[in-house]
Amino acid sequence: MRVGKWIAAALFGALLLFSQARVTTEAAGARQRPESQTEWPGYGGGPEGIRYSSLTQINRSNVSQLQVAWTFDSGEGPGGTQMQPLVAGGVLFALTPHHNLVALDAATGKQIWRFDFGIIGRGPNRGVAYWSEGGERRVFAAVTQFVYALDAATGKPISSFGMNGRIDLREGVGRDPAKQSIILTTPGVVYKDLLIVGGRVSEELPCTPGDIRAYDVRTGRMRWSFHTIPHPGEYGYKTWPRLAWKVSGSANNWAGMSVDAVRGLVFAPTGSAASDFYGSDRVGDDLFANTMLALDANTGKRVWHFQAVKHDIWDRDFPSPPALVRVKRGHRWIDAVAQTTKSGHIYLFERSHGRLLFPIKYRQYEPSSTPGEVAAKTQPLPTKPAPFARQVLTEDMLTNRTPEAHRSVVARFRTFHGGTQFVPFRVDQETIIFPGFDGGAEWGGPAFDPETGLLYVNANEMAWTSHLVKNEAAKSARQLYLQNCGNCHGDTLAGSPPQLPKLLNMGPKWDVTAISKITRQGAGRMPSFPNLSDAEVQAVSEYVLSGVSKPI
C-alpha cells in the first residue's frame, strides 16, 4: 500500500498549495519585492508563516506538464499525520503515518535515514521544526507527549537534550505530570537558540493549562513559560475566578505560531478555555483564552494582546498560525499580523504595538438562558476586511435538491435556535453554529503573496448544531461518558461522522480491552484521559459497547 507520497522537486510542494486557496481579501495595495526563498525550512514555509516561495521554475505556462519524478512508500498502514514536510539543506524531513521521522534526498526521494520513536502515533502531527548554527543541525519532532531532538545528518537522538534526547511536555506546568495530557500536534517555532511550543490538550475538565513554553535547543532546559491562565499577581488574573490557575485548563496554542525575528516577537493565538461550551466555573472574560498574544521571544513577557472572544462558550479558537504580512497605508508600509478566525473574519494588527489596522465594533448579544452560565455582554468583530464566509444561515440557503428535501430541511431548521454569531447554547434545543466549529478558516492557515499583496484563505461554511444536556455527578458509567466523551460523540453516541466517529454498533474488532486502550492513550483528535481510574475507563468502555450504564 503506497501511503507516504510526495512529488520530487519537493521545494515546490508547498507552492502548489496556493492553487487550492481562494482569494478572499486584499491585504496590501501595491507590489513589494519578496525576499528570495529556495527552501522550505519551517512550518508554513518559515517563521513568517506566509506559505510563499519566490521560486519561478513552475509557473502557469508549464504547471500542466508536471509529472511525478519520484514517490516514497513508508511501508505503513493508514494514519492521520496532516503532514507538511520541511526542506533544508536539500533534505526533505517528514513524518510517516505512524509518526516515524524520515530524511529523504529532496531531488531523488532516496531515504537518508529513518528514526522510529518506538511509539505509534495515531493523531494529527503536522510537521517538525529545524534549527542550525555553524556546523550543528537539529530536527525537533514530537510523538504523543514527547519532543525529540535529532541530529539532522544522522537521525540519531541528541543525548544531551532533555532526558536521553527528549523532553516530556507534561512536566513543568505546575501540576502532577502523571495526570496531564498534552500533545504537540503543530510543530513549535525556532527563535535563536529557543524552541517555542504550545500543545493540544483536552477540552473537558480536568485538563492541562495551555502554558506557552520555550526550551533551549541544545539542552532541552525550559527557559521561560507564559501562563495563559494567569497566576496571582499576573496580568489578567482578575478576569478568572480566584482559583482558576489551579483547576482550569486549556486556553492553549494548538494551531501554531509565527515569529518576527527582527523585532524578537513570537505571535501565539490561543483557543478556548475548558470546558468548551459551558463556563459556570470560569465566570469572567477568561484572558488569555481566544487571544492573539505577542510575546517577547527572548523572555516570554507579554508585549501586547487582543482577546477576540470573551468567555468563549462556542469553541471559537483561533484556528491557524498568523501570517506576517505588509500592508500599505497611504505612502507608508506597515509590518502587520493577519489572523484568520473560525467565524470567517480577519484581524490585522500592527506588529510592534498591536494597534488594529481596521476598526472593530463591540456589539451586545443575548444572554445565556442556561443555569449558572454568564455570557459576556459584548463581543468584538472587525468592520474590515469583509468576512470571507457568510455570517447568517437562512432558509433560502437550504437545499433545493428536491422540493421534498427542501420542505423537510426547512421544517427541521425552524425548530432550531440561532444561525448567527455569539448565540448561547440552550438546554434541550438545538442551536445553529454558522460557520461551524471547524468553519471559517481552518488549521491549514492562510497564504500571503508579497508581490501582489493578496491574502488567500480556504473558507469552510459548514453549519453545525449543538445543545446542552444536564451533567450529573459521575455516579454511573453514562454520567462519566457524558462528562468526558459526550461533547464530541454526543449524548446518543451518534457522533458526527466522519470527523467525530459514532460509537454505535462498533463491530466485532472492538472489545472492552481495545476501547480501554484507546481511551487511555488517545487517538486522532481524541485526547488521552489520564485522570480516569482503570475502573472508570473500563466502565465507560463497557457502556459504549453494551449501552448498559453500571453504577460507579
Side-chain angles (χ1 to χ4, degrees), residues 94-423:
L95 290 159
T96 67
H98 288 179
H99 299 189
N100 286 188
L101 181 61
V102 294
L104 310 177
D105 184 307
T108 67
K110 181 180 179 180
Q111 181 174 302
I112 300 170
W113 55 257
R114 181 182 188 127
F115 182 74
D116 185 344
F117 297 96
I119 305 169
I120 296 179
R122 299 180 182 275
N125 201 333
R126 295 172 184 144
V128 298
Y130 177 82
W131 169 83
S132 66
E133 185 175 288
E136 290 186 271
R137 298 168 58 236
R138 296 186 179 186
V139 180
F140 299 94
V143 59
T144 62
Q145 69 265 26
F146 301 109
V147 178
Y148 287 75
L150 304 178
D151 186 305
T154 66
K156 303 294 184 184
I158 307 293
S159 60
S160 58
F161 180 85
M163 183 68 69
N164 298 319
R166 72 184 191 185
I167 56 175
D168 187 337
L169 294 177
R170 298 175 302 176
E171 298 176 351
V173 295
R175 301 182 189 179
D176 182 358
K179 295 182 179 180
Q180 305 311 306
S181 174
I182 180 168
I183 298 172
L184 195 63
T185 51
T186 304
V189 293
V190 171
Y191 172 76
K192 294 183 178 178
D193 61 348
L194 295 175
L195 174 67
I196 307 172
V197 302
R200 190 189 71 180
V201 301
S202 172
E203 298 178 352
E204 290 297 313
L205 294 173
C207 74
T208 305
D211 295 354
I212 298 168
R213 294 172 284 176
Y215 295 87
D216 189 297
V217 296
R218 293 186 174 88
T219 67
R221 179 176 65 88
M222 188 167 70
R223 295 257 291 270
W224 58 255
S225 177
F226 180 87
H227 302 137
T228 60
I229 302 176
H231 291 202
E234 295 177 345
Y235 189 100
Y237 170 71
K238 293 183 179 179
T239 67
W240 295 77
R242 186 172 60 88
L243 296 179
W245 66 283
K246 288 187 174 183
V247 297
S248 289
S250 203
N252 55 314
N253 170 262
W254 61 267
M257 312 174 207
S258 300
V259 175
D260 184 330
V262 174
R263 292 174 174 81
L265 294 175
V266 58
F267 300 96
T270 63
S272 56
S275 296
D276 270 348
F277 307 115
Y278 184 64
S280 67
D281 58 344
R282 52 177 174 88
V283 171
D285 284 352
D286 304 330
L287 201 62
F288 295 96
N290 306 89
T291 297
M292 166 55 69
L293 274 167
L295 305 178
D296 184 318
N298 294 286
T299 65
K301 301 295 184 183
R302 181 185 62 89
V303 177
W304 60 263
H305 75 274
F306 175 78
Q307 188 175 34
V309 183
K310 299 183 289 184
H311 189 78
D312 185 10
I313 48 176
W314 304 274
D315 191 30
R316 280 306 197 214
D317 302 349
F318 277 131
S320 63
L324 304 190
V325 304
R326 298 194 75 208
V327 176
K328 192 173 185 181
R329 282 287 180 84
H331 298 290
R332 187 168 69 97
W333 284 100
I334 300 172
D335 289 340
V337 182
Q339 178 63 59
T340 57
T341 71
K342 282 186 178 180
S343 64
H345 294 86
I346 296 173
Y347 284 100
L348 283 159
F349 308 91
E350 181 273 330
R351 289 188 213 169
S352 295
H353 306 292
R355 180 175 62 88
L356 282 154
L357 300 191
F358 294 103
I360 63 167
K361 184 174 182 179
Y362 284 83
R363 298 175 175 86
Q364 288 192 336
Y365 294 91
E366 67 178 84
S368 173
S369 62
T370 303
E373 183 61 271
V374 183
K377 292 182 179 179
T378 63
Q379 297 285 2
L381 285 175
T383 57
K384 292 182 180 180
F388 57 83
R390 290 174 291 182
Q391 296 293 291
V392 181
L393 185 65
T394 56
E395 289 185 8
D396 63 296
M397 296 162 61
L398 303 179
T399 182
N400 282 303
R401 184 171 54 86
T402 66
E404 294 79 8
H406 183 72
R407 286 194 297 270
S408 175
V409 172
V410 167
R412 188 175 180 198
F413 178 80
R414 290 175 178 174
T415 69
F416 294 156
H417 175 238
T420 186
Q421 300 298 322
F422 303 123
V423 177

Side-chain angles (χ1 to χ4, degrees), residues 27-48:
R31 295 172 66 88
Q32 58 188 95
R33 188 67 182 170
E35 294 183 7
S36 176
Q37 180 176 322
T38 60
E39 298 197 318
W40 203 258
Y43 185 70
E48 299 87 1

